[in-house]
Amino acid sequence: MTQPHPSLRAVHRPGPAMAAQRTLAIARKEFMQLRRDPVLLRFILIFPVALLVIFGFALNTKVTHIPLVVVDESADRVSQNLQQTMGEDDRFALTTAPSLATALEQVRQGEARAALHIPKGAIDAVRGDQSLDFTVYVDGSDPTVSSQIRANAAAAAQDTASTIAAARALRTNTSATPPVSPEVKVLFNPDDRTAVYIVPGMIGLILTLVGCLLTAIVIVREREMGTMEGLIATPVRPLEVVLGKITPYFVFGLIDAVLVVLAGVLVFRVPFQGSPLLLAGAMLLFILGSLGVGIVISTFVRTQIQSVFWIIAYFFPSIFLSGLFFPLEGMVQPFGFISHLVPLRHFLELARGVMIRGADLSHLATPMLALALFSAATLLIANFRFKKTL
């Protein structure tokens, strides 16, 4: 191939002014294109600010009113004072149980985050200048909440010791502080391993990505390429189109979920205490609902870029309002209420309950029902919207 003479290349090479002019012309064209796409422009301008405002107010790593079930076998003034200090400063929300076995079962089923066991003879121990012993059983499935419980229990023990010392000073004119010795036992995750907490959450995150993102982009891409018109020309009904579109991603979502669970158990040594069938049912419902969300999004957008922004708009609240990284107990109202509308929250409650604590369906019926409603509602809306846009 003949190369142009160096002098000719020098003649046609644009100068700095010409290069800047061409660059500005291309940028002007891109601005005009964005201006013609009000949906995308709205996302670019409003979405980051909305995220910052919402999450700046919603998220809070300090957990208050932690559910604590109390077994008080002493039932005297000292044990009552200990319970009172546990409830001060919004540390714990106290309930009672008749036995330690009942209290631990409530922790396992997720009805309480910790159990306080006060053995008999608390007042006798104080009168005899002996150590006031009690035990706090901590749900270790969430490391953030677990560390907060231990800190709150230590603070309550210190307050109780101060109260006892003040009473003794009035009675005997001595200021010696008797020891108050809380024993903390971490359940389900005694080593506080992060993988135990993260892996069940990653299952939900991956299923959301596979279900929503791939489905929405594939349908919008077909519409952009014009192949959807050919499908519409066939006698295929909208429901058949919807089911046909989601079937491959439903299968791949299940395969991904099984792989993540196996990797979590075999590689990261995440315990699997509960029923595999219960977790499989939760994954089926969650995948169906996520696929429905992807189809619904595809009916609102015109381009693949718009679908990506809609997925991000759905994805971010799912991450931050579901309890995946931040404890739900620390969430500010009304975002705590809004989090109940996030499907990933219910899936995480099921996955962590089944895998880590071994909870059964009788105590996970509410999140399972929420996932069933989520999948049914999104698939119905997807069918309706898809039929309308054909």
Side-chain angles (χ1 to χ4, degrees), residues 119-190:
K120 293 180 180 178
I123 194 168
D124 295 333
V126 172
R127 286 173 176 169
D129 292 336
Q130 298 175 353
S131 173
L132 173 60
D133 299 326
F134 60 92
T135 305
V136 179
Y137 297 87
V138 180
D139 176 4
S141 59
D142 186 333
T144 304
V145 179
S146 171
S147 62
Q148 189 79 55
I149 291 172
R150 283 178 282 189
N152 288 352
Q158 183 62 40
D159 290 347
T160 302
S162 300
T163 303
I164 293 174
R168 173 171 296 180
L170 290 175
R171 183 166 51 88
T172 65
N173 201 25
T174 59
S175 58
T177 303
V180 177
S181 305
E183 182 184 5
V184 177
K185 294 184 178 180
V186 181
L187 308 174
F188 316 122
N189 184 18

Side-chain angles (χ1 to χ4, degrees), residues 32-238:
M32 292 176 65
Q33 193 168 344
L34 281 174
R35 188 180 173 186
R36 295 191 191 102
D37 193 340
V39 176
L40 184 58
L41 191 61
R42 200 175 300 133
F43 264 113
I44 294 173
L45 296 177
I46 299 177
F47 185 62
V49 179
L51 278 181
L52 180 64
V53 172
I54 291 173
F55 297 132
F57 285 109
L59 302 180
N60 183 11
T61 55
K62 182 181 179 182
V63 184
T64 59
H65 300 98
I66 302 172
L68 174 71
V69 56
V70 180
V71 181
D72 186 0
E73 295 180 351
S74 188
D76 51 36
R77 292 198 306 276
V78 174
S79 64
Q80 291 172 3
N81 179 267
L82 176 59
Q83 294 183 49
Q84 184 180 348
T85 55
M86 286 284 183
E88 289 178 349
D89 300 328
D90 299 329
R91 293 172 179 143
F92 296 101
L94 273 61
T95 57
T96 58
S99 66
L100 180 59
T102 304
L104 295 180
E105 181 63 16
Q106 290 185 17
V107 176
R108 190 175 74 86
Q109 301 292 359
E111 298 172 5
R113 285 287 198 173
L116 169 64
H117 178 225
I118 308 173
K120 293 180 180 178
I123 194 168
D124 295 333
V126 172
R127 286 173 176 169
D129 292 336
Q130 298 175 353
S131 173
L132 173 60
D133 299 326
F134 60 92
T135 305
V136 179
Y137 297 87
V138 180
D139 176 4
S141 59
D142 186 333
T144 304
V145 179
S146 171
S147 62
Q148 189 79 55
I149 291 172
R150 283 178 282 189
N152 288 352
Q158 183 62 40
D159 290 347
T160 302
S162 300
T163 303
I164 293 174
R168 173 171 296 180
L170 290 175
R171 183 166 51 88
T172 65
N173 201 25
T174 59
S175 58
T177 303
V180 177
S181 305
E183 182 184 5
V184 177
K185 294 184 178 180
V186 181
L187 308 174
F188 316 122
N189 184 18
D191 298 328
D192 274 343
R193 291 193 299 119
T194 306
V196 175
Y197 174 72
I198 290 296
V199 168
M202 291 308 297
I203 300 173
L205 208 58
I206 291 171
L207 294 183
T208 303
L209 268 178
V210 173
C212 297
L213 184 62
L214 294 182
T215 309
I217 286 181
V218 166
I219 293 178
V220 175
R221 185 182 62 188
E222 283 199 19
R223 192 178 298 140
E224 286 180 330
M225 296 172 63
T227 55
M228 188 63 74
E229 281 75 5
L231 191 61
I232 295 171
T234 66
V236 180
R237 292 181 300 176

Side-chain angles (χ1 to χ4, degrees), residues 306-374:
Q306 288 182 3
S307 66
V308 170
F309 271 89
W310 272 97
I311 293 297
I312 293 174
Y314 176 77
F315 201 59
F316 269 78
S318 295
I319 293 176
F320 292 105
L321 298 182
S322 63
L324 180 59
F325 296 115
F326 298 94
L328 295 170
E329 288 85 349
M331 202 164 288
V332 178
Q333 296 295 346
F335 296 100
F337 174 77
I338 295 174
S339 70
H340 289 280
L341 303 177
V342 177
L344 186 57
R345 168 189 172 138
H346 303 289
F347 179 79
L348 293 184
E349 191 174 340
L350 267 161
R352 287 172 177 160
V354 172
M355 292 184 67
I356 303 175
R357 301 195 310 272
D360 54 36
L361 182 59
S362 64
H363 292 86
L364 295 173
T366 301
M368 185 64 90
L369 178 62
L371 288 183
L373 291 175
F374 163 63

Side-chain angles (χ1 to χ4, degrees), residues 233-275:
T234 66
V236 180
R237 292 181 300 176
L239 179 60
E240 295 168 348
V241 175
V242 170
L243 293 177
K245 290 291 179 188
I246 67 174
T247 297
Y249 304 102
F250 176 73
V251 173
F252 280 113
L254 281 179
I255 293 174
D256 285 339
V258 172
L259 290 177
V260 173
V261 172
L262 289 176
V265 174
L266 299 178
V267 179
F268 297 100
R269 293 181 293 112
V270 176
F272 200 117
Q273 308 286 356
S275 167

